[in-house]
Amino acid sequence: MSGKVKARTSANTADSATQTVNEKILKECHSLYIDPENGLVRIGESLGLSLLAPRKKITVLLIGNHSAGKSSFINWYVEEHVQRTGVAIETQGFTFVTSGRKRESLTGNATLHLYPHYEPLRQIDGVIDYLTTEISTSKQKKFSLVTFVDTPGLVDGDMKYPFDVNDSIAWLGDLADLIFVFFDPIGQALCKRTLNIVEKLNEKHAERIRFYLSKADEAGHESDRQRVMMQIVQELCKRPGLNKTGFDMPTIYVPNMNNKGSRCANQIEEVCKDIEKTINGTIQTTLNQLEKNCDQIAELVEDKLQKNSEQTSANLRARVRGLCYSMIGMLLPLLLLATFLISTSHQLLSSVLGESIVVTMSVYLGPLAKAWQKIPEAYTNYVIVGILILALILLLIAKLSSRTRSTLSRKQKRNLLEVRDYVQGTVKSKKQTLYQEYLQQSVAEHDM
């Protein structure tokens, strides 16, 4: 990040005017991360911190046996016929149903371009050819904040899928915020493939899974529904990972003219509440994560500046050590030369430097000169060589000890300080504003 932070403006005022508060909050948070100039993802990369931009929508994965009502539920929620429905296995691949500016259908490659975090699906052979996206302009319910993932109808027996459906659904389950399991009371509700996948998903994502008895209005009388539900629950509880107390399975069905007078309890609104609750939880988690990431970046900046300060001090000490060793290393040969000349060539020095200077040198270097005279003539050369070697060693030590490490330039330090001020001031202030808007909306809805 360089230069001053520029204030971001809305790219599309018309879109902003039609956005709900929740939609605005998630989009604003997303843009704070992906902004090409001042985004937190880019700032984090420059500091060695890997950050993921939050998603603008939650993902709801729907699984179940064929004709369990998954596609019908999506059409009801969106209030638009975006998915084909029927007794046959209509959904043979994975369909992402999301909101957008215009009605459009996308194929596999375009789908992965729209959802790059699903790119690893390419590694599962055959999936890409059975991957589609349906974009709807609907604004009904909370659809603008939801992406539904409709999965193939699951059956046992000789049914062959063109890809590994079990692994595909398990992988998608890792990225889903909610997993809806629909059991059809008049179809293959006890399909072993469905139970196997549910058991596998439950191992890691039990808190995300919701079980529903779909098409409950077609199950006959209340006693028939209870009997079917009991069979499904018993079959689920036979699986060690799914055996739990307080097993909840609401009865739901899509309202229409044919079942308008049905006495069957329809808890389909509970599904909508589950979605809305997850959206609210996602918003709170996103805002909290935004503040946490700002603190992480600020801590990294402080740590980098602190280490730079310590390294600057260490470099100064290294230079002082190197200077001391260098001075000693250069002084030894000079002292050696001076004492040698004083003790052997007094007259020559007097003629060159003058008598007074030579006398002064004799006073200070006299003890060394006397020590030099005491050295036997046969060992003089050895002593000279030894002193010169010592001087070279000291100079080498000086070079090694004076090595310094690179430190931040003034510009780099200024940029880091700008980053810290930006995340602690601008971004946190924005987060606080968004939180206030979210809470005000929540209070207003509660009062209504």
Side-chain angles (χ1 to χ4, degrees):
M1 177 175 164
S2 60
K4 297 200 173 181
V5 177
K6 297 179 182 178
R8 292 181 296 106
T9 57
S10 177
N12 193 321
T13 307
D15 281 353
S16 299
T18 60
Q19 286 179 4
T20 63
V21 174
N22 288 345
E23 197 174 352
K24 174 193 170 186
I25 290 171
L26 289 177
K27 285 188 175 180
E28 284 283 347
C29 290
H30 183 77
S31 63
L32 285 171
Y33 278 84
I34 66 167
D35 186 82
E37 185 177 353
N38 304 312
L40 297 188
V41 172
R42 182 177 178 275
I43 292 173
E45 286 177 355
S46 67
L47 296 170
L49 176 65
S50 178
L51 297 178
L52 292 176
R55 286 175 286 172
K56 293 180 284 186
K57 302 179 181 182
I58 69 166
T59 302
V60 179
L61 179 69
L62 291 89
I63 64 175
N65 58 286
H66 80 89
S67 73
K70 303 184 297 297
S71 298
S72 297
F73 169 79
I74 293 174
N75 291 340
W76 171 81
Y77 191 92
V78 176
E79 297 189 23
E80 183 180 337
H81 193 81
V82 293
Q83 286 289 80
R84 291 186 304 169
T85 59
V87 178
I89 307 175
E90 296 289 358
T91 306
Q92 297 182 346
F94 295 99
T95 304
F96 294 80
V97 182
T98 190
S99 63
R101 297 179 183 176
K102 65 177 182 177
R103 182 72 175 92
E104 195 170 356
S105 298
L106 305 177
T107 56
N109 287 319
T111 294
L112 295 183
H113 184 75
L114 180 64
Y115 299 105
H117 49 287
Y118 288 110
E119 188 67 31
L121 276 175
R122 288 185 185 274
Q123 299 174 9
I124 302 177
D125 292 339
V127 171
I128 190 67
D129 296 326
Y130 291 86
L131 202 60
T132 58
T133 296
E134 296 295 335
I135 301 175
S136 168
T137 58
S138 171
K139 294 288 185 181
Q140 299 302 319
K141 304 179 181 67
K142 302 292 181 180
F143 182 55
S144 59
L145 295 169
V146 181
T147 295
F148 290 108
V149 182
D150 198 3
T151 61
L154 301 174
V155 295
D156 289 330
D158 298 329
M159 175 64 183
K160 298 293 183 181
Y161 294 89
F163 51 85
D164 192 325
V165 68
N166 293 39
D167 286 350
S168 301
I169 293 177
W171 189 90
L172 287 167
D174 292 338
L175 274 67
D177 299 285
L178 277 175
I179 302 172
F180 289 165
V181 183
F182 284 8
F183 290 105
D184 177 9
I186 60 173
Q188 297 185 21
L190 302 180
C191 167
K192 289 183 179 179
R193 187 187 294 274
T194 303
L195 297 177
N196 290 339
I197 291 175
V198 170
E199 185 176 22
K200 187 174 182 179
L201 288 170
N202 188 73
E203 291 175 1
K204 294 192 293 183
H205 312 299
E207 74 287 351
R208 304 180 194 173
I209 299 179
R210 307 287 187 271
F211 298 99
Y212 297 104
L213 183 67
S214 61
K215 296 186 175 181
D217 60 313
E218 300 178 12
H221 297 291
E222 182 64 25
S223 58
D224 296 323
R225 284 191 290 274
Q226 292 297 327
R227 177 178 52 79
V228 171
M229 193 182 303
M230 185 64 67
Q231 290 176 347
I232 296 172
V233 171
Q234 287 177 348
E235 194 65 32
L236 287 170
C237 289
K238 288 180 182 178
R239 308 290 178 114
L242 297 172
N243 191 357
K244 57 183 180 180
T245 57
F247 208 101
D248 188 26
M249 187 181 294
T251 56
I252 65 171
Y253 57 90
V254 174
N256 56 47
M257 294 299 295
N258 295 328
N259 57 30
K260 190 174 182 180
S262 175
R263 295 183 179 181
C264 174
N266 191 3
Q267 296 174 279
I268 198 166
E269 290 299 330
E270 294 299 318
V271 186
C272 299
K273 289 180 181 179
D274 262 335
I275 292 174
E276 186 172 354
K277 183 179 178 182
T278 303
I279 291 171
N280 290 331
T282 300
I283 291 172
Q284 295 175 41
T285 301
T286 298
L287 290 170
N288 292 335
Q289 188 64 38
L290 177 60
E291 182 172 9
K292 181 181 177 182
N293 290 154
C294 286
D295 290 337
Q296 287 177 313
I297 289 172
E299 287 175 8
L300 285 173
V301 169
E302 290 290 349
D303 185 57
K304 203 164 187 176
L305 291 173
Q306 177 65 28
K307 288 182 177 179
N308 181 71
S309 178
E310 292 173 356
Q311 190 57 56
T312 301
S313 299
N315 287 348
L316 179 60
R317 292 193 297 270
R319 291 190 184 98
V320 172
R321 284 196 305 269
L323 181 61
C324 291
Y325 283 120
S326 296
M327 290 177 65
I328 295 172
M330 289 185 293
L331 188 60
L332 279 177
L334 292 176
L335 288 175
L336 173 64
L337 178 61
T339 53
F340 178 76
L341 292 175
I342 289 173
S343 60
T344 58
S345 306
H346 186 85
Q347 292 181 351
L348 179 61
L349 278 177
S350 298
S351 61
V352 175
L353 301 176
E355 185 66 30
S356 59
I357 294 177
V358 174
V359 170
T360 303
M361 290 175 62
S362 299
V363 171
Y364 289 103
L365 299 177
L368 288 176
K370 290 179 181 178
W372 184 261
Q373 290 173 353
K374 291 180 180 180
I375 296 174
E377 190 174 348
Y379 294 98
T380 301
N381 292 336
Y382 295 110
V383 173
I384 293 173
V385 172
I387 293 174
L388 291 175
I389 291 173
L390 178 60
L392 289 173
I393 291 173
L394 289 171
L395 290 173
L396 180 61
I397 293 173
K399 183 177 180 180
L400 295 175
S401 62
S402 63
R403 286 181 176 177
T404 58
R405 294 183 180 179
S406 60
T407 54
L408 299 174
S409 65
R410 289 184 180 181
K411 183 178 179 181
Q412 288 174 319
K413 287 191 286 186
R414 184 172 64 251
N415 288 343
L416 284 174
L417 291 172
E418 286 180 2
V419 166
R420 185 188 62 186
D421 293 342
Y422 172 67
V423 298
Q424 293 290 65
T426 306
V427 179
K428 274 196 170 183
S429 176
K430 184 66 177 177
K431 175 258 175 185
Q432 195 64 30
T433 301
L434 293 174
Y435 226 131
Q436 288 298 326
E437 291 180 9
Y438 169 72
L439 292 174
Q440 287 173 5
Q441 172 207 234
S442 299
V443 171
E445 289 180 352
H446 184 266
D447 291 341
M448 290 173 63

Short mmCIF file of all heavy atoms in Angstrom, two decimals, residues 3 39 57 62 65 95 142 163 185 193 197 213 221 224 228 232 288 310 326 345 353 397 419 427:
data_model
loop_
_atom_site.label_atom_id
_atom_site.label_comp_id
_atom_site.label_asym_id
_atom_site.label_seq_id
_atom_site.Cartn_x
_atom_site.Cartn_y
_atom_site.Cartn_z
N GLY A 3 1.09 5.60 -0.81
CA GLY A 3 0.30 6.80 -0.96
C GLY A 3 -0.84 6.85 0.02
O GLY A 3 -1.01 6.00 0.88
N GLY A 39 -7.18 -3.09 -0.35
CA GLY A 39 -7.88 -4.24 0.21
C GLY A 39 -7.06 -4.95 1.28
O GLY A 39 -5.84 -5.01 1.23
N LYS A 57 -22.71 -13.99 0.10
CA LYS A 57 -23.94 -14.76 0.29
C LYS A 57 -23.62 -16.03 1.07
O LYS A 57 -22.49 -16.50 1.06
CB LYS A 57 -24.56 -15.13 -1.06
CG LYS A 57 -24.89 -13.95 -1.95
CD LYS A 57 -25.46 -14.42 -3.28
CE LYS A 57 -25.77 -13.23 -4.19
NZ LYS A 57 -26.38 -13.66 -5.48
N LEU A 62 -28.60 -28.62 -0.84
CA LEU A 62 -29.78 -29.47 -0.70
C LEU A 62 -29.48 -30.86 -1.24
O LEU A 62 -29.03 -31.01 -2.37
CB LEU A 62 -30.96 -28.88 -1.48
CG LEU A 62 -31.55 -27.58 -0.94
CD1 LEU A 62 -30.83 -26.38 -1.54
CD2 LEU A 62 -33.04 -27.50 -1.25
N ASN A 65 -33.08 -38.02 -1.88
CA ASN A 65 -33.35 -38.95 -2.95
C ASN A 65 -34.08 -38.23 -4.09
O ASN A 65 -34.52 -37.09 -3.95
CB ASN A 65 -34.21 -40.12 -2.45
CG ASN A 65 -35.51 -39.65 -1.84
OD1 ASN A 65 -35.52 -39.10 -0.73
ND2 ASN A 65 -36.61 -39.85 -2.56
N THR A 95 -26.52 -27.75 -9.67
CA THR A 95 -27.01 -26.46 -10.16
C THR A 95 -26.92 -25.42 -9.05
O THR A 95 -27.49 -25.61 -7.97
CB THR A 95 -28.46 -26.56 -10.64
OG1 THR A 95 -28.56 -27.58 -11.64
CG2 THR A 95 -28.91 -25.23 -11.22
N LYS A 142 -35.15 -13.91 1.37
CA LYS A 142 -33.75 -13.50 1.55
C LYS A 142 -32.86 -14.01 0.40
O LYS A 142 -31.66 -14.21 0.57
CB LYS A 142 -33.20 -14.05 2.88
CG LYS A 142 -33.97 -13.61 4.11
CD LYS A 142 -33.80 -12.13 4.38
CE LYS A 142 -34.54 -11.72 5.64
NZ LYS A 142 -34.39 -10.28 5.92
N PHE A 163 -20.03 -39.08 -12.66
CA PHE A 163 -18.94 -38.60 -11.79
C PHE A 163 -19.15 -39.19 -10.41
O PHE A 163 -20.19 -39.81 -10.13
CB PHE A 163 -18.94 -37.06 -11.72
CG PHE A 163 -20.28 -36.47 -11.38
CD1 PHE A 163 -20.69 -36.34 -10.06
CD2 PHE A 163 -21.15 -36.06 -12.39
CE1 PHE A 163 -21.93 -35.81 -9.74
CE2 PHE A 163 -22.39 -35.53 -12.09
CZ PHE A 163 -22.79 -35.41 -10.75
N PRO A 185 -41.46 -38.98 1.80
CA PRO A 185 -42.20 -40.06 2.49
C PRO A 185 -42.79 -41.11 1.55
O PRO A 185 -43.11 -42.21 1.99
CB PRO A 185 -43.32 -39.30 3.22
CG PRO A 185 -43.52 -38.06 2.42
CD PRO A 185 -42.16 -37.69 1.90
N ARG A 193 -27.63 -44.74 -0.36
CA ARG A 193 -26.66 -43.75 -0.82
C ARG A 193 -26.87 -42.42 -0.07
O ARG A 193 -25.92 -41.78 0.36
CB ARG A 193 -26.78 -43.53 -2.33
CG ARG A 193 -25.67 -42.63 -2.89
CD ARG A 193 -25.95 -42.30 -4.35
NE ARG A 193 -25.87 -43.47 -5.20
CZ ARG A 193 -24.72 -43.91 -5.74
NH1 ARG A 193 -23.59 -43.30 -5.49
NH2 ARG A 193 -24.74 -44.96 -6.53
N ILE A 197 -24.11 -40.70 2.53
CA ILE A 197 -23.60 -39.34 2.35
C ILE A 197 -23.90 -38.49 3.58
O ILE A 197 -23.04 -37.74 4.05
CB ILE A 197 -24.20 -38.70 1.08
CG1 ILE A 197 -23.66 -39.40 -0.16
CG2 ILE A 197 -23.88 -37.21 1.03
CD1 ILE A 197 -24.28 -38.93 -1.46
N LEU A 213 -38.89 -33.75 6.54
CA LEU A 213 -39.76 -34.69 5.83
C LEU A 213 -40.51 -33.89 4.79
O LEU A 213 -41.46 -33.16 5.10
CB LEU A 213 -40.73 -35.36 6.81
CG LEU A 213 -41.64 -36.43 6.18
CD1 LEU A 213 -40.82 -37.64 5.73
CD2 LEU A 213 -42.74 -36.85 7.16
N HIS A 221 -52.63 -39.77 6.01
CA HIS A 221 -53.10 -39.22 7.28
C HIS A 221 -51.92 -38.97 8.23
O HIS A 221 -50.80 -39.40 7.98
CB HIS A 221 -54.11 -40.18 7.92
CG HIS A 221 -55.34 -40.36 7.08
ND1 HIS A 221 -56.28 -39.36 6.90
CD2 HIS A 221 -55.79 -41.44 6.38
CE1 HIS A 221 -57.26 -39.81 6.12
NE2 HIS A 221 -56.98 -41.07 5.78
N ASP A 224 -50.00 -41.97 9.19
CA ASP A 224 -49.08 -42.43 8.14
C ASP A 224 -47.80 -41.62 8.14
O ASP A 224 -46.70 -42.18 7.98
CB ASP A 224 -49.76 -42.31 6.77
CG ASP A 224 -50.98 -43.21 6.65
OD1 ASP A 224 -50.93 -44.33 7.18
OD2 ASP A 224 -51.97 -42.77 6.03
N VAL A 228 -44.02 -43.10 8.81
CA VAL A 228 -42.91 -42.90 7.88
C VAL A 228 -41.75 -42.18 8.56
O VAL A 228 -40.58 -42.54 8.41
CB VAL A 228 -43.38 -42.10 6.64
CG1 VAL A 228 -42.19 -41.71 5.77
CG2 VAL A 228 -44.38 -42.91 5.84
N ILE A 232 -37.83 -43.46 9.17
CA ILE A 232 -36.64 -42.71 8.74
C ILE A 232 -35.72 -42.44 9.92
O ILE A 232 -34.50 -42.65 9.83
CB ILE A 232 -37.05 -41.39 8.07
CG1 ILE A 232 -37.84 -41.66 6.78
CG2 ILE A 232 -35.83 -40.53 7.76
CD1 ILE A 232 -38.44 -40.42 6.16
N ASN A 288 -17.09 -9.45 12.94
CA ASN A 288 -16.11 -9.77 13.98
C ASN A 288 -14.77 -10.17 13.38
O ASN A 288 -13.70 -9.80 13.89
CB ASN A 288 -16.64 -10.89 14.88
CG ASN A 288 -17.83 -10.46 15.72
OD1 ASN A 288 -17.99 -9.26 16.00
ND2 ASN A 288 -18.66 -11.40 16.12
N GLU A 310 14.94 -2.71 16.56
CA GLU A 310 15.95 -3.54 17.21
C GLU A 310 17.11 -3.81 16.25
O GLU A 310 18.28 -3.82 16.67
CB GLU A 310 15.32 -4.86 17.66
CG GLU A 310 14.31 -4.69 18.79
CD GLU A 310 13.58 -5.98 19.11
OE1 GLU A 310 13.82 -6.98 18.38
OE2 GLU A 310 12.77 -6.00 20.05
N SER A 326 38.98 -2.62 14.00
CA SER A 326 39.77 -2.06 12.90
C SER A 326 40.86 -1.15 13.42
O SER A 326 42.03 -1.19 12.95
CB SER A 326 38.86 -1.28 11.95
OG SER A 326 37.93 -2.14 11.34
N SER A 345 66.71 3.14 14.66
CA SER A 345 67.06 4.24 13.73
C SER A 345 66.68 5.59 14.33
O SER A 345 65.92 6.36 13.75
CB SER A 345 66.34 4.03 12.39
OG SER A 345 66.59 2.75 11.86
N LEU A 353 61.56 13.58 11.34
CA LEU A 353 60.44 14.12 12.12
C LEU A 353 60.83 15.28 13.03
O LEU A 353 59.99 16.03 13.49
CB LEU A 353 59.82 13.01 12.99
CG LEU A 353 59.25 11.80 12.25
CD1 LEU A 353 58.75 10.76 13.24
CD2 LEU A 353 58.14 12.20 11.29
N ILE A 397 38.26 -9.92 11.96
CA ILE A 397 37.19 -9.89 12.96
C ILE A 397 36.37 -8.62 12.83
O ILE A 397 35.14 -8.61 12.94
CB ILE A 397 37.76 -10.02 14.39
CG1 ILE A 397 38.38 -11.41 14.59
CG2 ILE A 397 36.69 -9.76 15.44
CD1 ILE A 397 39.12 -11.58 15.90
N VAL A 419 -0.57 2.03 6.75
CA VAL A 419 -1.37 0.80 6.82
C VAL A 419 -2.00 0.66 8.19
O VAL A 419 -3.21 0.37 8.32
CB VAL A 419 -0.49 -0.42 6.49
CG1 VAL A 419 -1.20 -1.72 6.90
CG2 VAL A 419 -0.15 -0.47 5.02
N VAL A 427 -10.88 1.39 8.48
CA VAL A 427 -11.60 0.11 8.36
C VAL A 427 -12.40 -0.19 9.62
O VAL A 427 -13.57 -0.58 9.55
CB VAL A 427 -10.61 -1.04 8.06
CG1 VAL A 427 -11.37 -2.36 7.98
CG2 VAL A 427 -9.88 -0.79 6.76
#
